[in-house]
Amino acid sequence: MPSVSIGEIVDFIDGRYAGNRDRMISAVAPLADANDGQLSFLSNRKYSAQLTLSKAGAILVPQNLEGEDDRWIRVDDPYFAIARIMTKWFGARPMPKGISAQASIAPSAKLGTNVAIGPFTTIGEDVVIGDNTTIFQNVSIEAGSNIGDDCIVYPSVVIYDGTHIGRRCIIHAGVVIGSDGYGFAMHDGKHHKIPQIGIVRIEDDVEIGAGTTIDRAALGETVIGEGTKIDNLVQIGHNVKIGKHCLLVSQVGIAGSTELGDHVFVAGQSGFSGHLKIGNRVQVAAKSAVLEDVPDDTKVMGSPAMPFTEFARRQAALKRLAKKKSL
Amino acid sequence: MPSVSIGEIVDFIDGRYAGNRDRMISAVAPLADANDGQLSFLSNRKYSAQLTLSKAGAILVPQNLEGEDDRWIRVDDPYFAIARIMTKWFGARPMPKGISAQASIAPSAKLGTNVAIGPFTTIGEDVVIGDNTTIFQNVSIEAGSNIGDDCIVYPSVVIYDGTHIGRRCIIHAGVVIGSDGYGFAMHDGKHHKIPQIGIVRIEDDVEIGAGTTIDRAALGETVIGEGTKIDNLVQIGHNVKIGKHCLLVSQVGIAGSTELGDHVFVAGQSGFSGHLKIGNRVQVAAKSAVLEDVPDDTKVMGSPAMPFTEFARRQAALKRLAKKKSL
Amino acid sequence: MPSVSIGEIVDFIDGRYAGNRDRMISAVAPLADANDGQLSFLSNRKYSAQLTLSKAGAILVPQNLEGEDDRWIRVDDPYFAIARIMTKWFGARPMPKGISAQASIAPSAKLGTNVAIGPFTTIGEDVVIGDNTTIFQNVSIEAGSNIGDDCIVYPSVVIYDGTHIGRRCIIHAGVVIGSDGYGFAMHDGKHHKIPQIGIVRIEDDVEIGAGTTIDRAALGETVIGEGTKIDNLVQIGHNVKIGKHCLLVSQVGIAGSTELGDHVFVAGQSGFSGHLKIGNRVQVAAKSAVLEDVPDDTKVMGSPAMPFTEFARRQAALKRLAKKKSL
């Protein structure tokens, strides 16, 4: 269990604090559960009532919060501050160490310094693994793939041949990257496979949630842009291009060749048909079906998706109509 | 192949039966397919016409079914009776035996009596496995997790560190439990990871379908209540609490911190946004998007979800409107 | 890298071509990217403008395309022709060779000639694997299953006991076949498991996308018909019967005992409730919820699904209504 003084924490996040700097903190906990050896935080003001009741030893709060408490550490953004603190001191997790003798590693694979590989993992020919990257057990990394520095690949991930993965990526258990796209030519009443010979390229700082599948391009590349975070059980079709710093919440599906701009937010269970252009900073509400291009800075909702205001107007009109007719 | 006398079956389920008790039964089959060495059952009266045509050696029927047949075994609930009979005599499946020499088991792991572990499975430090629990091949159970007695964990399941699983749980292939929740703090145009340091706790008698993902809590616990049955490819977000004896059909998604009461039924492909309170005995129709709290004993439907009656009223009004306008 | 003369390609696909037959081709590329050592194709006329700009060494075009270019190879169906060419010369992928000494293979398993099995794969008792079938690493094939000739099973696939798989099937990473169907009998407020003792039968020429789950029948069979292609993260419930040459796009879900005819097309994220009969050549638009039987040759859309024309009529009526009321 880590143990850090409040003073060290305050200095690290550049906080304002008038209390006892020598008190030790051993964990982070929610306001309602924290004890006096734990740090907590207020990121949403609707929980302000819990502040006085909380038994936390120290609490991150916004700079301009009204009131006074010598346990408070004032910062610009408590949520970002707690992320930094947890990452630095309280986020450690048991990880494989060293190269397991029970892994199957091709002689031509190149492993960086301080790489860890768990048992029952297969590393194919000409694979390149960057420094400080950790690969858990039962992972498959097929021939010719490369993975950058400081990545974590959790158990039972499958990475097909020729995949490129950047630095500081986190890939959760059961993810499949580089599987064949869904491409068939109909001839004489039968579907004939179009071999999928492109690749997947994942840029730096991408996180991919458990069970997500990302298909390789038919030709060329499927791309996940830098800093994009993908939740669990998301499906990315062949030749899709996702921009930088996007958020794709769980069970989203994106059909082949659709392109998303930067900073796009897609809520859970939404889908996109193929060959669309989705602009920058577009927001898609949950369970929407996006069937047309969407320009920059637009919020859409519904199945088929339409601008928020139009969706709301239709819902309201239908509600009134239903009331009237039922009289 | 098992072989059981009808007399033994009748006694076990306390049925009423006037036929030959010594006849042997070797399998269970549907009415239309069963032969005279097989047992069948009538659980839905719309299949009554198949009763006389069936060649089954014995048939479970409801107590008050009209007619007479010396093959009939009358019971209160034929569906529950067949479940018990199949579980006792006809449900066996090939399972790993003993501890595979090809598994990787940490020295500090504690295995109960009669535990089976398949090849290429990894058991981390301080893991505790209860008595009579069977773990198939290629499974990962990370450090500090514990699993109760009489569980079955099918191949390629991944259980992250610190997970608690109760007794008599069944976890199907490809399930991921304890992966990181989807939590990021936006700062300077980039998403920064909030380390997810809570756990998942699964109570007794839970079954989890293939490919389902259950994220660990950010802080605290994600909980699946006793007796809840989860189908395939379901996504459970961080800090979600599911009550007891719920049914979540396939491809359902539940966003972070939402809480479901007991005996909630959620049909396939429905979703819940985060931080909701869903009451006891709530029923959610297929493909609904639940965006607000739902009180006890309510049936909801639609995207966004609304009470069944309101949904039906709106659909009817829209149908009438479409007819009128098209004239 | 393969190298094939244009003449050999032209002969193989029976094309019309007036250019240099001796020029060599080493790859296939999109019109915009191809260089003069590469072959490209025009399958969608909206990209015709790229034809003259393309630097491709040879281009497959439709027989009746207007214009003239000595790089053009005229064929009846460029998309089908490129599929055949890529399959013959340009679709090769690194594959396991031989039987890994690190696999766990039951003594009673029967392997055909030229079978490859990767490390950390488990083959159960009485499994039969056909000739020329390749099984990657970390795969589980449970007791009594059989797989036909010329199949490919990618890493981390799990095939439960008793599954039958035909010839020339491709099963992508993370697929689960034969997991228990979702069947419970409610008794005294608890859900009691109905053992699932049927099997899954997959006919010839089926492809199954990454992460898809197919449940075994409660009794009898779950069936995937010949030539059907299933995308990623699809869920097929117990006792479902899918006809021949169907397409099921990603994240589709089909509940128990529903039957689809032949040549059915289901777009992404659509769902079917249980016990339905869906006719031949039915088309289901994306994100639809099919809750009733659908006759042959019908196109449906919506949640709940209705014929295309009715869906369009209602959308138009609602759009007009919303406009009017907001005035």
Side-chain angles (χ1 to χ4, degrees):
Chain A
M1 192 143 62
S3 190
V4 193
S5 74
I6 294 180
E8 197 175 352
I9 290 172
V10 166
D11 292 347
F12 175 63
I13 56 171
D14 202 16
R16 285 194 293 141
Y17 175 72
N20 177 356
R21 291 176 52 95
D22 297 332
R23 220 186 159 97
M24 300 304 284
I25 293 295
S26 64
V28 173
L31 284 171
D33 304 338
N35 64 38
D36 66 359
Q38 295 176 327
L39 174 70
S40 194
F41 63 104
L42 179 78
S43 67
N44 184 332
R45 298 215 178 189
K46 83 174 179 183
Y47 297 110
S48 300
Q50 295 181 12
L51 271 180
T52 47
L53 298 171
S54 179
K55 301 207 168 84
I59 306 173
L60 300 170
V61 302
Q63 293 285 11
N64 59 355
L65 185 71
E66 285 174 27
E68 206 64 54
D69 188 321
D70 68 3
R71 297 174 305 163
W72 292 1
I73 304 171
R74 292 181 183 274
V75 291
D76 290 340
D77 182 345
Y79 199 52
F80 179 56
I82 201 81
R84 292 182 63 212
I85 292 166
M86 288 170 75
T87 301
K88 187 167 175 70
W89 288 293
F90 304 106
R93 174 171 294 170
M95 293 274 182
K97 303 285 177 220
I99 311 292
S100 170
Q102 291 165 289
S104 170
I105 301 176
S108 59
K110 289 198 182 96
L111 310 185
T113 60
N114 197 28
V115 165
I117 297 182
F120 320 127
T121 278
T122 301
I123 308 286
E125 297 289 350
D126 301 311
V127 166
V128 178
I129 310 276
D131 298 345
N132 309 312
T133 283
T134 297
I135 298 174
F136 278 73
Q137 60 273 7
N138 298 101
V139 169
S140 294
I141 302 181
E142 291 290 309
S145 293
N146 56 65
I147 300 186
D149 299 343
D150 304 301
C151 292
I152 303 173
V153 181
Y154 283 99
S156 297
V157 166
V158 178
I159 297 174
Y160 280 56
D161 58 293
T163 300
H164 294 253
I165 296 178
R167 292 167 296 171
R168 297 175 301 277
C169 291
I170 299 173
I171 303 177
H172 281 282
V175 164
V176 177
I177 301 175
S179 41
D180 283 349
Y182 194 68
F184 303 93
M186 166 59 78
H187 186 78
D188 281 349
K190 296 184 182 179
H191 305 289
H192 297 263
K193 183 174 181 70
I194 312 284
Q196 304 287 302
I197 62 177
I199 65 156
V200 174
R201 182 164 55 82
I202 293 175
E203 297 181 353
D204 294 345
D205 297 304
V206 168
E207 181 162 349
I208 303 175
T212 283
T213 59
I214 302 177
D215 283 346
R216 69 196 309 117
L219 298 170
E221 295 182 341
T222 302
V223 180
I224 311 295
E226 181 189 323
T228 284
K229 310 299 187 184
I230 301 178
D231 201 351
N232 297 357
L233 295 174
V234 168
Q235 150 68 2
I236 310 283
H238 51 181
N239 292 83
V240 165
K241 316 264 192 246
I242 309 282
K244 298 181 194 304
H245 310 299
C246 295
L247 294 176
L248 307 183
V249 177
S250 70
Q251 298 175 318
V252 160
I254 305 183
S257 300
T258 283
E259 302 189 9
L260 273 63
D262 297 336
H263 286 103
V264 172
F265 171 77
V266 185
Q269 300 188 333
S270 285
F272 295 78
S273 57
H275 298 273
L276 302 181
K277 296 259 183 199
I278 308 300
N280 296 313
R281 297 169 303 278
V282 165
Q283 295 186 28
V284 179
K287 232 186 186 65
S288 300
V290 182
L291 308 180
E292 295 176 358
D293 291 356
V294 180
D296 288 354
D297 300 295
T298 310
K299 297 184 184 187
V300 299
M301 184 172 191
S303 175
M306 59 194 78
F308 269 27
T309 48
E310 173 66 14
F311 183 84
R313 208 180 292 133
R314 291 193 193 180
Q315 288 293 112
L318 184 55
K319 188 175 172 183
R320 284 193 302 269
L321 180 74
K323 238 175 222 156
K324 202 190 298 176
K325 296 284 173 178
S326 69
L327 289 176
Chain B
M1 194 142 64
S3 191
V4 194
S5 73
I6 294 180
E8 198 175 351
I9 290 171
V10 166
D11 292 348
F12 175 63
I13 57 171
D14 203 16
R16 283 193 297 140
Y17 176 70
N20 178 355
R21 291 176 51 95
D22 297 331
R23 222 185 158 99
M24 300 305 284
I25 293 295
S26 64
V28 173
L31 284 171
D33 303 338
N35 64 37
D36 67 358
Q38 295 176 328
L39 173 70
S40 195
F41 63 103
L42 179 78
S43 69
N44 184 331
R45 297 214 179 189
K46 83 174 177 184
Y47 296 111
S48 300
Q50 294 182 11
L51 270 180
T52 48
L53 298 170
S54 178
K55 299 205 169 85
I59 305 172
L60 299 171
V61 302
Q63 294 284 11
N64 57 356
L65 185 71
E66 284 175 26
E68 205 65 51
D69 188 321
D70 68 2
R71 299 174 302 164
W72 290 2
I73 304 171
R74 292 181 183 275
V75 292
D76 290 340
D77 181 345
Y79 198 53
F80 178 56
I82 202 79
R84 291 184 63 212
I85 292 166
M86 289 169 74
T87 301
K88 187 168 175 71
W89 288 295
F90 304 106
R93 175 171 293 170
M95 293 272 180
K97 304 283 178 222
I99 310 293
S100 171
Q102 291 165 288
S104 172
I105 302 176
S108 58
K110 290 200 182 94
L111 309 185
T113 61
N114 197 30
V115 164
I117 297 181
F120 320 127
T121 279
T122 301
I123 309 284
E125 296 290 348
D126 301 311
V127 166
V128 178
I129 311 278
D131 298 344
N132 309 311
T133 283
T134 296
I135 297 173
F136 278 72
Q137 59 273 7
N138 298 103
V139 169
S140 294
I141 303 181
E142 291 291 307
S145 293
N146 57 64
I147 300 186
D149 299 342
D150 304 301
C151 291
I152 303 173
V153 182
Y154 282 99
S156 297
V157 166
V158 178
I159 298 174
Y160 281 56
D161 58 293
T163 301
H164 293 254
I165 296 178
R167 291 168 296 171
R168 297 174 301 277
C169 290
I170 299 174
I171 302 176
H172 281 283
V175 164
V176 177
I177 301 174
S179 41
D180 283 350
Y182 194 66
F184 303 93
M186 165 60 77
H187 186 78
D188 279 348
K190 297 185 182 180
H191 305 289
H192 297 263
K193 184 175 180 69
I194 312 285
Q196 304 287 302
I197 63 176
I199 64 155
V200 175
R201 182 165 54 83
I202 293 175
E203 298 181 351
D204 294 345
D205 297 303
V206 168
E207 181 162 349
I208 302 175
T212 283
T213 58
I214 303 176
D215 283 345
R216 68 194 313 117
L219 297 170
E221 295 181 342
T222 301
V223 180
I224 311 295
E226 181 190 322
T228 284
K229 310 298 186 185
I230 300 178
D231 201 351
N232 297 356
L233 296 173
V234 168
Q235 150 68 2
I236 309 283
H238 52 179
N239 292 85
V240 165
K241 316 267 191 242
I242 309 284
K244 298 181 195 304
H245 310 299
C246 294
L247 295 176
L248 307 184
V249 177
S250 70
Q251 297 174 316
V252 160
I254 305 183
S257 301
T258 282
E259 302 189 9
L260 273 62
D262 298 335
H263 287 102
V264 171
F265 171 77
V266 185
Q269 299 187 332
S270 286
F272 296 78
S273 57
H275 297 273
L276 302 182
K277 295 260 183 198
I278 309 300
N280 296 312
R281 297 169 303 279
V282 165
Q283 294 185 29
V284 179
K287 232 185 186 64
S288 299
V290 182
L291 308 180
E292 295 176 357
D293 291 356
V294 180
D296 288 353
D297 300 294
T298 309
K299 298 183 185 187
V300 299
M301 186 170 188
S303 176
M306 58 194 78
F308 269 28
T309 48
E310 174 65 14
F311 183 83
R313 209 180 289 133
R314 291 192 193 180
Q315 288 293 111
L318 183 54
K319 188 176 171 184
R320 282 193 305 267
L321 181 73
K323 237 175 224 155
K324 204 189 298 176
K325 295 284 173 180
S326 68
L327 288 176
Chain C
M1 194 144 59
S3 190
V4 193
S5 73
I6 295 181
E8 198 176 352
I9 289 171
V10 167
D11 293 346
F12 175 64
I13 56 171
D14 202 16
R16 284 193 295 142
Y17 175 72
N20 178 355
R21 291 176 52 94
D22 297 332
R23 221 187 158 96
M24 299 305 283
I25 294 295
S26 64
V28 174
L31 284 171
D33 303 339
N35 65 38
D36 67 359
Q38 295 176 327
L39 174 70
S40 194
F41 64 104
L42 179 77
S43 67
N44 185 332
R45 298 214 178 189
K46 82 174 181 186
Y47 297 112
S48 300
Q50 295 182 11
L51 272 180
T52 48
L53 298 171
S54 178
K55 300 206 169 88
I59 306 172
L60 300 170
V61 302
Q63 294 284 12
N64 58 355
L65 184 71
E66 284 174 27
E68 205 66 51
D69 188 320
D70 68 1
R71 299 174 304 163
W72 291 2
I73 305 172
R74 292 182 183 275
V75 292
D76 291 340
D77 182 346
Y79 199 52
F80 178 55
I82 201 79
R84 292 183 63 213
I85 292 166
M86 288 169 76
T87 301
K88 187 168 174 69
W89 288 293
F90 304 106
R93 174 171 293 170
M95 293 273 180
K97 304 285 178 222
I99 310 293
S100 171
Q102 290 165 289
S104 171
I105 302 176
S108 59
K110 290 199 181 94
L111 310 185
T113 59
N114 197 29
V115 164
I117 297 181
F120 321 128
T121 279
T122 301
I123 309 286
E125 296 290 349
D126 301 312
V127 166
V128 178
I129 310 278
D131 297 345
N132 309 311
T133 283
T134 297
I135 298 174
F136 277 73
Q137 59 274 6
N138 297 102
V139 170
S140 294
I141 303 182
E142 291 291 308
S145 293
N146 56 66
I147 300 186
D149 299 343
D150 303 301
C151 291
I152 303 173
V153 181
Y154 282 98
S156 297
V157 166
V158 178
I159 298 174
Y160 281 57
D161 57 295
T163 300
H164 293 254
I165 295 178
R167 291 167 297 172
R168 298 175 300 278
C169 290
I170 299 173
I171 303 177
H172 281 283
V175 164
V176 177
I177 301 175
S179 41
D180 284 349
Y182 193 68
F184 303 93
M186 167 58 80
H187 186 79
D188 281 349
K190 295 184 183 180
H191 304 289
H192 297 263
K193 183 175 180 67
I194 312 285
Q196 304 287 302
I197 63 176
I199 64 157
V200 174
R201 182 164 55 82
I202 292 175
E203 298 181 353
D204 294 346
D205 297 303
V206 168
E207 181 161 350
I208 303 175
T212 283
T213 59
I214 302 177
D215 283 345
R216 69 196 308 118
L219 297 171
E221 295 181 343
T222 300
V223 180
I224 310 296
E226 181 190 323
T228 284
K229 310 299 186 184
I230 301 177
D231 201 350
N232 297 357
L233 295 175
V234 168
Q235 150 68 0
I236 310 283
H238 52 179
N239 292 84
V240 165
K241 316 267 192 243
I242 309 283
K244 297 181 195 305
H245 310 299
C246 294
L247 295 176
L248 307 183
V249 178
S250 72
Q251 297 176 318
V252 160
I254 306 183
S257 300
T258 282
E259 303 189 9
L260 273 62
D262 297 335
H263 286 101
V264 171
F265 171 76
V266 185
Q269 299 188 332
S270 286
F272 296 78
S273 58
H275 298 273
L276 302 181
K277 296 261 183 197
I278 308 300
N280 296 311
R281 298 170 302 278
V282 165
Q283 295 186 29
V284 179
K287 232 186 187 67
S288 300
V290 182
L291 308 180
E292 296 177 357
D293 292 355
V294 180
D296 288 354
D297 300 295
T298 309
K299 296 183 186 187
V300 299
M301 185 170 189
S303 176
M306 58 193 78
F308 268 28
T309 48
E310 174 66 13
F311 183 84
R313 209 179 291 134
R314 291 193 194 179
Q315 288 294 113
L318 183 54
K319 188 176 171 182
R320 285 194 302 269
L321 181 74
K323 238 173 223 157
K324 202 189 301 177
K325 295 283 174 180
S326 69
L327 290 177

